[in-house]
């Protein structure tokens, strides 16, 4: 009797089968791990709370009356405002409007324009009276509606420019509509 056991190498087709099964198992494990990594909940992206809303960084101030540009229609008048951006990313102004039905306005520089943080921009507004019956006889608290945009948001903000602007606007409307 033989006390030694002889171990023979498995036939080649069994070795290949074992290798294929090992590779298949490794592939299944890798795919399952990849799926788990890909579908795990991710923490939400940080909110841009560090970036202020544009209305929080912008101020408008009435400066004074200005000469109406050549070629403006009759019953037009102009004035200047200063836009200041205090901090944050640059602010773009895509649009400036006003609330009165009988008035239209244009601005120079024409919208859209961009202002960097820490700087100011002078804007000349030219208003044109289209219908004297619908403009206020005495503008008490007139305002400008300004659309502001930065990397955080787009906002429409109403700016009350103070009593000097109200007086200037009331006087300009009276002069523009004096022959009506």
């Amino acid at each position: 009797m033989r006390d030694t056991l002889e171990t023979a190498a498995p036939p080649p087709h069994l070795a290949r089968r074992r290798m294929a099964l090992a590779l298949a198992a490794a592939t299944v494990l890798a795919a399952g791990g990849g799926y788990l990594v890909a579908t795990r909940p991710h923490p939400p992206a940080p909110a841009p709370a560090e970036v202020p809303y544009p209305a929080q960084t912008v101020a408008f101030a009435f400066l004074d009356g200005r000469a109406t540009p050549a070629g403006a229609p009759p019953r037009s008048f102009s004035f200047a405002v200063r836009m200041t951006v205090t901090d944050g990313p640059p602010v773009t102004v895509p649009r400036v409007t006003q609330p009165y039905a009988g008035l239209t306005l244009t601005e120079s520089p024409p919208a859209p324009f961009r202002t960097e943080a820490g700087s100011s921009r002078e804007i000349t507004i030219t208003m044109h009276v289209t219908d004297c019956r619908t403009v206020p006889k005495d503008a008490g608290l007139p305002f400008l509606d300004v659309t502001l945009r930065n990397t955080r948001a787009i906002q429409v903000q109403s700016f009350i420019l103070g009593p000097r602007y109200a007086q200037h606007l009331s006087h300009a409307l009276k002069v523009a509509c004096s022959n009506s």
Side-chain angles (χ1 to χ4, degrees):
M1 290 205 166
R2 284 188 143 159
D3 290 322
T4 53
L5 248 161
E6 290 184 31
T7 55
H13 71 284
L14 287 178
R16 282 193 296 269
R17 184 180 292 166
R18 285 182 188 159
M19 180 65 76
L21 286 173
L23 285 174
T27 303
V28 168
L29 285 173
Y35 175 78
L36 289 174
V37 168
T39 59
R40 76 171 188 257
H42 294 286
E50 304 83 41
V51 176
Y53 286 99
Q56 295 171 324
T57 66
V58 173
F60 273 80
F62 174 75
L63 296 176
D64 54 21
R66 294 290 162 96
T68 303
R75 299 192 301 193
S76 295
F77 57 93
S78 298
F79 58 91
V81 296
R82 177 177 294 119
M83 173 186 163
T84 303
V85 179
T86 56
D87 61 351
V91 174
T92 299
V93 174
R95 184 176 167 155
V96 179
T97 60
Q98 55 73 44
Y100 302 116
L103 286 174
T104 62
L105 72 76
T106 57
E107 66 281 334
S108 178
F113 53 85
R114 181 179 171 136
T115 304
E116 300 290 327
S119 63
S120 295
R121 175 183 298 272
E122 192 172 293
I123 305 158
T124 300
I125 306 286
T126 299
M127 290 193 176
H128 169 65
V129 179
T130 58
D131 185 357
C132 286
R133 294 171 295 172
T134 60
V135 297
K137 303 259 187 283
D138 189 20
L141 285 175
F143 55 90
L144 290 177
D145 287 327
V146 183
T147 303
L148 305 168
R149 183 182 76 220
N150 70 4
T151 55
R152 181 165 188 180
I154 297 174
Q155 296 178 293
V156 177
Q157 183 73 25
S158 296
F159 290 95
I160 297 175
L161 302 177
R164 287 182 45 241
Y165 171 62
Q167 292 167 354
H168 176 79
L169 181 61
S170 292
H171 176 72
L173 291 173
K174 286 177 188 170
V175 169
C177 293
S178 63
N179 294 332
S180 297

